[in-house]
Every structure is written in structure tokens, then in C-alpha cells.
Amino acid sequence: MAEMTLRPMSPGDADRVLAIYQLGLDGGDASFEVTAPTWAAFDASRLAAHRFVAVTDGLVLGWVAVTPTSSRPVYAGVVEHSVYVDPAAQGRGVGRLLLDALITSTEAAGIWTIQSGIFPENTASLALHRRAGFRAIGVRERIGRHHDRWRDVVLLERRSPTVG
């Protein structure tokens, strides 16, 4: 296997990023969303400074990005993240590489909390996040309907030990 590298996400990655996103959505345990957004919508909703892709031989294997949790100044240091890995590349350290880069990037920018909501059935993602220093702060029970059934979401956060 070729060496995996990490780099900032660019518009040239759009097709592959959205394809990986859709593969995750198709799996049924990644998000309440069922269809990946357009690149314009994706680009407009995520902070440009904190988007990364993991690449091997020029092929994007996964991505991570953040959205602000609020426009209120008091929450300027809190973001919500998404991390998606191509199913064919899972189990190879892609997700951890992406989360580590995100943590470094957000801390350098003064962000003190990264949060995410994960379906309890997504045990691989929950384990990845725990290994990266995230903790479960609660379960939002029956918070939304997805494919005609109510779903719980585990709310996770990582508080920076150096920012704040």
C-alpha cells in the first residue's frame, strides 16, 4: 500500500468528497441526511480553514470538516465536525489521521470544543472518537426520524486541554 498523506481539502476534491459522503449516508448509520449536498452547499456551510483529506496515490480516502455551532460570539470556539472514510479504506487509520489533523488545526485557531452527534449503532465511529479523546456527554433519545424510525444520537465532545 502506498503512503497515506494528509492535505487541505480543495475544490478539486469535490466529486470524491461528496461520493465518500454519499457512501457513508447509504450505509444508514452516518447521518440523518440521506443525500450528500451539492459542492456549493457543502462549501458554504463548512469552515475553510479546517477541512482535510487523506490521500493515497492521488485518491481521496476520507475527509474531515467542521461547521460552526452558532453565530453567537460566545460560541466562537465551538465547532461540530464530520469525518467520513471510504468503506474500502476503513480500518487503515484514515479516520484517526483526519481527526488528529483536525484537532491540531482547531486548537491552533483557538477552538476549545469539537463536538459531534453519532448514532449509537455506529460503534466503529464511537470507538475512533474515544481513542481521539472525545467523551460521550449524553444520549439524545429519539431526537429525529430517519428511514421511518426514531433514532437516538450520542453527543460527543472533545475539550482542548490547551485552549480556553
Side-chain angles (χ1 to χ4, degrees), residues 24-158:
L25 299 177
D26 291 346
D29 286 331
S31 173
F32 282 107
E33 301 298 328
V34 294
T35 304
T38 64
W39 179 252
F42 181 98
D43 187 47
S45 65
R46 287 158 179 86
L47 299 177
H50 310 291
R51 301 182 203 178
F52 299 96
V53 292
V55 180
T56 296
D57 287 333
L59 179 66
V60 173
L61 303 177
W63 60 269
V64 67
V66 300
T67 58
T69 58
S70 175
S71 61
R72 295 176 60 196
V74 69
Y75 295 113
V78 182
V79 294
E80 183 170 350
H81 85 289
S82 297
V83 58
Y84 283 79
V85 176
D86 185 319
Q90 291 175 353
R92 295 178 16 200
V94 177
R96 183 60 191 262
L97 180 70
L98 290 163
L99 280 179
D100 287 348
L102 180 67
I103 290 165
T104 299
S105 171
T106 54
E107 285 185 341
I111 293 171
W112 59 82
T113 301
I114 304 170
Q115 66 184 32
S116 188
I118 299 175
F119 291 136
E121 297 84 0
N122 195 341
T123 56
S125 185
L126 290 169
L128 166 67
H129 283 82
R130 285 190 186 103
R131 287 191 305 271
F134 286 76
R135 68 183 180 100
I137 58 172
V139 176
R140 301 181 79 192
E141 296 177 352
R142 296 173 46 93
I143 194 67
R145 290 185 62 79
H146 180 245
H147 297 300
D148 295 324
R149 69 180 175 117
W150 288 102
R151 300 289 300 262
D152 295 347
V153 171
V154 179
L155 185 58
L156 301 174
E157 73 173 14
R158 182 190 181 278

